[in-house]
Amino acid sequence: MSTEIQRSRPPLALVALLISAFAIGTTEFVIMGILPEVAADLQVTLSAAGLLVTGYALGVAIGGPVITAFTGRLPRKSLLFGLMLIFVAGNLMAAVAPNYAVLMIARVLASFAHGTFFGVGSIVATRLIPREKQASAIAMMFAGLTLANILGVPFGTFVGQMWGWRSTFWIVTALGIISLVGIGGLVPRIAQEAVAGFRQEMRVLRSKQVGLALLMTVLGFGGVFTAFTYIAPILTDITGFGAGAVTPILLVFGIGMTIGNTVGGKLADWRLMPSLAGMLVLLTAVLALFTLTISYKIATVVTVFVWGFASFAIVPAFQMRVLQKAKGSPNIASALNISSFNLANAGGAYLGGWIIDNGPGLHALPWVAAIVTAAGLLVALVSWSLDRQDAELCSQAGRAARHTHNKEMEKK
């Protein structure tokens, strides 16, 4: 296949990446809906079954950057294909797992594909279309995650409850195979740019701006999961909804996520840092507002929709910011940002649980979440101010160079 990207190919290639993201997102989150079935069948406690979620998140956070660092010289298309092979193998192992230990190994194996795939996939997506639309390309790939929450997780949960949890993993395995076909047939071979070695890739960790970008991801997105992890008890115990209303309300959240992801990508293409700061302000505000609307059913549903919108409007911008600042080491930096999202999930869930058990309780989660996201906003503003300082220094250097040049010309 030619290394040149034909105009008709990029949309199809992005669809292939979207399908892969959909499959990965489904296997990440669907386990939460079938935990009781897994626990009962494998004869383990519900809390032990819950560790399958933790094991996957840790596999993403640790495995992603490590695998990315050691696969930097592989062609991007071949690497994406190989990662989906790992994904298929992990989910196939989960479908036939005879016991809890094998299922845990299978979950961790499947997670190894996650971080590197989204990291490398983000870079591939930006290479498929013009520079001015790169954030939108990232948003289209990440739309697979939002669609997984709207379609994949509810359907996978339903199948698992009706025909057993193993059937869910068989379906995810089939999705992985479809992804393999899509990557093999639709993603073009992209000319490899100068490849950084392992040491050079790891030097990205010394960059202040990359560190700030990763920190704003952890804090900005951590606020989302500080409250969202416990959305079901919030809706039933505080707002007063019945248990049957939780799924439709989560669907409203997912619709908001999907719209926000698309809008956020376009805004990031327009002006990255102003848009990112504005979206973090919106997310902080809606989390703080939830403290007031939490007791009113209609107001809660509206808040949940805007919450979903704001929470994923920041995702393309976060990923684009890291790629923008990781000059010479985009692969490891992109994977580290995916790890940061997973650390945000785990850290937010832990903080929310601590607030419930040791702090002011379930009612306090929205304003605590708002504080965490506000901290991410503060980091973003610091990073943005450094951009302006650098721009001013470059401008001063340019003026000084022109002044020196003019003086030399006058002497002549």
Side-chain angles (χ1 to χ4, degrees), residues 6 16 27 56 72 117 156 170 173 196 216 222 233 245 248 250 281 304 309 332 360 362 374 378 385 393 412:
Q6 300 176 2
T27 203
Y56 187 96
F117 188 93
W170 281 114
T173 300
M216 75 173 76
L250 291 181
V281 169
V304 166
F309 174 91
I332 189 67
L362 198 61
L378 180 61
S385 70
L393 289 174
K412 292 181 180 180

Side-chain angles (χ1 to χ4, degrees), residues 129 156 163 179 186 215 218 330 344 368 380 386:
I129 63 174
W163 293 288
S179 300
L186 298 177
L215 182 59
V218 172
V368 172
L386 291 177

Side-chain angles (χ1 to χ4, degrees), residues 172-190:
V172 174
T173 300
L175 285 173
I177 294 173
I178 294 172
S179 300
L180 283 172
V181 174
I183 292 171
L186 298 177
V187 176
R189 295 187 182 277
I190 297 174

Side-chain angles (χ1 to χ4, degrees), residues 27 70 110 139 207 214 222 268 304 350 380:
T27 203
F70 285 99
S207 168
L214 297 175
V304 166
Y350 176 82

Side-chain angles (χ1 to χ4, degrees), residues 152-166:
V153 173
F155 180 72
T157 299
F158 172 77
V159 169
Q161 292 172 344
M162 292 295 294
W163 293 288
W165 63 270
R166 296 178 190 277

